[in-house]
Amino acid sequence: SDLVTPAIRIDGKGGRVSGNLNFSWQQNFYANESRYNNDQKSLSAAGKAELIDQWLFLDANANIAQNPASVFSTQTVGNELINGNRSESRSFQWSPYIQGYFGGSFGYELRYRNSLTKSDTGTYALGSGVDTKAWSGRLWGGTPLALLGWSLLAEDQRFSFDSRNTKSNRVLGTLEYRVDPQLKLNVSAGKESDNYTNFEYRDRTISGYGLDWAPTERTMLTLKKERRSFGDGHTIDFSHRTALTAWKISDSRSVVIPGQQFTSAAVST
């Protein structure tokens, strides 16, 4: 087979706008099996604009990739190999948001996200793909106790996929206490609702606790456990740097709807 791949890469930053783009168009020609000739596109792009000085921002990203339609079927090590289990997926997301401070003491952020994912074949080729819309708001600040801080998070997410409309929302309050410059403890409580498991909208209380520990300038450990609608969730993040190496270990259990992950990660079923 013959392979032709024109490509372009752009990295730029100027004023209030920055971004990068990496795009290639791969054309495959097969000498004895011309019916398998095909083209494959690859795109990784991200951009950010500051629309109003230090207040209104816009993030956008896009991803086009070749991915397995199913993790249970034949996998290939190269896109030039003929495999009916491969599909081209396309994801696009834009997210305007505002952020700032009240009197220098309380911070706020209000964000909207909209993403669309579509594949040529497989599960995500049904209908118009996966369309996700989400609102989130966050407040944070200090208290009269210098070592005690707080934050309040509110989220509303809705996504449609193959005529199924799913929605969820969450309100979560968190208290953080800094024991010393290296150790911070936190507890959280709130309420979440969703119709993930059936068409009924169910309300549940949630709670959690965790810590952030930095025993050295090169070592960081984050532990968190939560009681969620699906059961117990957790987050474990450990990172450490030496003179010549960097180590990172992560483990988590949570709920992620498709539109949140496809714009930054490979698509698979």
Side-chain angles (χ1 to χ4, degrees), residues 98-244:
I98 59 174
Q99 63 180 18
Y101 289 89
F102 294 113
S105 301
F106 304 103
Y108 66 90
E109 179 183 285
L110 179 64
R111 180 185 290 266
Y112 173 75
R113 292 183 179 90
N114 180 214
S115 62
L116 178 65
T117 299
K118 180 72 174 177
S119 292
D120 288 338
T121 61
T123 304
Y124 302 110
L126 300 174
S128 58
V130 181
D131 186 13
T132 306
K133 299 178 177 66
W135 286 93
S136 65
R138 190 165 68 96
L139 297 171
W140 67 91
T143 68
L145 299 177
L147 301 179
L148 184 66
W150 62 273
S151 64
L152 181 64
L153 172 69
E155 296 178 317
D156 182 87
Q157 301 180 95
R158 301 167 188 266
F159 75 92
S160 59
F161 167 55
D162 189 26
S163 73
R164 170 75 190 273
N165 295 320
T166 304
K167 59 182 180 179
S168 66
N169 57 56
R170 179 167 66 135
V171 176
L172 184 70
T174 302
L175 288 176
E176 298 179 341
Y177 183 75
R178 187 171 293 278
V179 179
D180 57 43
Q182 288 76 40
L183 179 62
K184 182 171 62 175
L185 307 177
N186 64 76
V187 294
S188 59
K191 179 181 178 181
E192 68 179 357
S193 307
D194 64 65
N195 62 344
Y196 291 151
T197 55
N198 51 48
F199 289 98
E200 292 185 13
Y201 203 56
R202 301 181 61 185
D203 297 331
R204 305 174 184 89
T205 58
I206 54 177
S207 59
Y209 57 89
L211 63 84
D212 295 308
W213 183 38
T216 73
E217 293 181 353
R218 298 178 297 174
T219 307
M220 182 67 189
L221 174 66
T222 297
L223 300 175
K224 188 172 184 180
K225 185 174 182 178
E226 292 180 300
R227 186 181 67 179
R228 300 286 304 278
S229 62
F230 59 86
D232 287 340
H234 67 263
T235 298
I236 303 172
D237 281 318
F238 173 78
S239 61
H240 177 69
R241 290 182 294 108
T242 69
L244 299 176

Side-chain angles (χ1 to χ4, degrees), residues 52-73:
I52 299 179
D53 187 31
Q54 298 183 12
W55 189 69
L56 176 60
F57 304 85
L58 174 65
D59 291 347
N61 54 61
N63 192 317
I64 301 177
Q66 306 294 316
N67 303 113
S70 172
V71 296
F72 300 108
S73 299

